[in-house]
Amino acid sequence: MNSEISPHPDALLTEAQVAHLLSISTRTLQAWRVRGTGPIFVKAGRSVRYRQRDLVAWMGANSTQQTTSREVEQ
């Protein structure tokens, strides 16, 4: 599999490339698409592709320093 990333931010990545980059299975990526929780994707016919810039934005939006949310007491 070619998992090299293009320097172009609008490069389209395959489902397999994205799953490999995120260290998840393609099934997990598919489940995220169904639930609408994964990265934005492009659909051309039956083909699914991920724009590199959308993947980077999604990773940034899903970065965190803790696993639970803490509410501030007033």
Side-chain angles (χ1 to χ4, degrees), residues 4-22:
E4 288 187 30
I5 302 302
S6 168
H8 195 282
D10 286 325
L12 295 175
L13 306 176
T14 66
E15 182 179 68
Q17 288 174 309
V18 172
H20 178 74
L21 285 169
L22 296 176

Side-chain angles (χ1 to χ4, degrees), residues 27-39 41 50:
R27 292 291 231 182
T28 297
L29 197 54
Q30 291 164 355
W32 288 353
R33 274 200 313 271
V34 170
R35 290 194 310 256
T37 58
F41 61 95
Y50 293 84

Side-chain angles (χ1 to χ4, degrees), residues 5 13 17-18 21-22 29 39-40 50-60:
I5 302 302
L13 306 176
Q17 288 174 309
V18 172
L21 285 169
L22 296 176
L29 197 54
I40 294 171
Y50 293 84
R51 192 175 291 115
Q52 188 167 299
R53 80 170 63 239
D54 294 334
L55 182 60
V56 170
W58 179 84
M59 288 188 298

